[in-house]
Amino acid sequence: MSSPSNRNPSKLLEQRLPTYQAQVEEALDRLLPKAATLPMRLHEAMRYAVLGTGKRLRPVLVYATGEAVGLDPQHLNGPACAVELIHAYSLVHDDLPCMDDDDLRRGRPTCHKAYDEATAVLTGDALQSLAFRALAEETPGHVSAEARLKMVASLSVAAGSRGMVGGQALDLEATGRELDLAQLEDLHVHKTGALIRASVMLGALCHPDYDHDRLERLDRYAKSIGLAFQIRDDILDVEGNTEALGKASGSDARLSKATYPGLLGLAEARRHGEELVERALESLEPFDSQANCLREMATFIIERRS
Ligand code: GRG
């Protein structure tokens, strides 16, 4: 693929973001069963939960990691769809009355409000299954069966009880309790960070025999931006407004959740986020300009407004 070295790096993500968002949207649209397929209400709800909205940051990370390791992002739709489907399922379940009980998500009624609770539970379940199908069947042909299995295992660990679901369990246990910084970090390394790390890893694992040291650096990058992402999310929950966020602001306070601004204060939380972005950029030092999109993603994550 073409080297971005002769482009203004600060403009790269501006170009890539809409391209990659459109690419994954089209791939998801193809992958999701049509709304007219039986059972129609379930398929309609699955399409409602996934299509037409969302920043698609995790798929963009898959594509941008592909760029960084010298792959053609056109071939990475399988892993890109897989991480977005897991993310969409987690949002549907997280919004349920038995979890955060939210009415608004991505600027629209949450899945259980637009449909009903049972349909929302099944929607999340089916999106999770579809994610693994995307990974197993839509991963580029040059990826060996062994690497494919490794990718399935990585996503499974990231999504499961040692990853995102485990983080959600810690979050539920922590509601109304005080956490120290290490406990808060542990919660978010699992709840939000695991899927962000998996997004980067799946992009890199599509490269046969990718350099071990560089894989570790990519993982360190992903770990840092995962936490920075969560810090920004906590800050936006305090400072953002419901319209811009597309979900209710102030919900952390309503649910008595431990947050970075709550623990550190807003200024220190911001500083901690910036430090994590610096750490992420340091991890990418040996990479050439093909990693510029990843570099810009790190900055975007901490500056985003929604
Ligand atoms: C219920 C199984 C289960 C897991 C829930 C990740 C998670 C665990 C719940 C999501 C709830 C939440 C708001 C977490 C904070 C960070 C986060 C994932 C924010 C939403 O991600 P964005 O900003 O959303 O990427 P869009 O809508 O742009 O895709």
Side-chain angles (χ1 to χ4, degrees), residues 7-49:
R7 298 191 195 119
N8 175 354
S10 68
K11 292 283 177 221
L12 186 64
L13 192 61
E14 229 171 84
Q15 298 166 5
R16 291 287 201 274
L17 210 51
T19 306
Y20 288 154
Q21 284 165 336
Q23 187 176 324
V24 75
E25 184 76 17
E26 210 180 293
L28 287 164
D29 187 21
R30 261 184 279 119
L31 194 66
L32 283 156
K34 298 284 166 255
T37 306
L38 288 173
M40 290 194 282
R41 188 174 170 82
L42 175 62
H43 289 139
E44 202 187 289
M46 287 166 71
R47 297 179 71 84
Y48 176 83

Side-chain angles (χ1 to χ4, degrees), residues 15 79 172 208 238:
Q15 298 166 5
L172 292 173
V238 178

Side-chain angles (χ1 to χ4, degrees), residues 21 49 53-59 84 86-96 99-100 102 105-107 128 159-160 163-169 171-172 188 190-193 195-196 226 229-231 233-234 236-237 245-247 251-252 257 304 306:
Q21 284 165 336
T53 175
K55 296 182 290 296
R56 313 300 192 202
L57 293 183
R58 293 152 193 82
E84 186 63 17
I86 295 284
H87 172 57
Y89 124 69
S90 80
L91 298 181
V92 170
H93 281 191
D94 187 66
D95 290 334
L96 286 168
M99 301 257 183
D100 278 3
D102 274 313
R105 168 69 66 185
R106 294 175 158 177
Q128 174 160 216
M164 182 184 76
V165 170
Q168 178 77 350
D171 194 14
L172 292 173
H188 290 305
H190 292 92
K191 181 179 153 181
T192 324
L195 193 57
I196 289 179
F229 175 91
Q230 185 60 51
I231 292 177
D233 208 69
D234 286 358
L236 284 171
D237 194 68
L245 294 179
K247 61 178 182 177
S251 62
D252 292 336
K257 291 213 174 181
R304 70 199 168 92
S306 67

Side-chain angles (χ1 to χ4, degrees), residues 23 62-63 65-67 71-81 140 203 206:
Q23 187 176 324
V62 173
Y63 294 130
T65 305
E67 270 190 50
L71 295 173
D72 183 350
Q74 287 293 336
H75 296 149
L76 302 184
N77 286 339
C81 286
C206 287

Side-chain angles (χ1 to χ4, degrees), residues 50-172:
V50 175
L51 296 177
T53 175
K55 296 182 290 296
R56 313 300 192 202
L57 293 183
R58 293 152 193 82
V60 173
L61 281 171
V62 173
Y63 294 130
T65 305
E67 270 190 50
V69 303
L71 295 173
D72 183 350
Q74 287 293 336
H75 296 149
L76 302 184
N77 286 339
C81 286
V83 292
E84 186 63 17
L85 289 167
I86 295 284
H87 172 57
Y89 124 69
S90 80
L91 298 181
V92 170
H93 281 191
D94 187 66
D95 290 334
L96 286 168
C98 62
M99 301 257 183
D100 278 3
D101 193 13
D102 274 313
D103 295 349
L104 197 64
R105 168 69 66 185
R106 294 175 158 177
R108 311 191 291 203
T110 45
C111 190
H112 65 276
K113 285 283 167 189
Y115 293 86
D116 55 78
E117 237 178 283
T119 302
V121 171
L122 295 176
T123 294
D125 293 341
L127 292 177
Q128 174 160 216
S129 303
L130 190 60
F132 286 99
R133 179 175 167 200
L135 202 50
E137 289 183 355
E138 310 271 331
T139 294
H142 71 261
V143 178
S144 67
E146 194 188 344
R148 223 172 270 241
L149 278 178
K150 199 166 174 187
M151 290 165 79
V152 170
S154 294
L155 185 61
S156 163
V157 172
S161 64
R162 294 294 307 137
M164 182 184 76
V165 170
Q168 178 77 350
L170 290 174
D171 194 14
L172 292 173

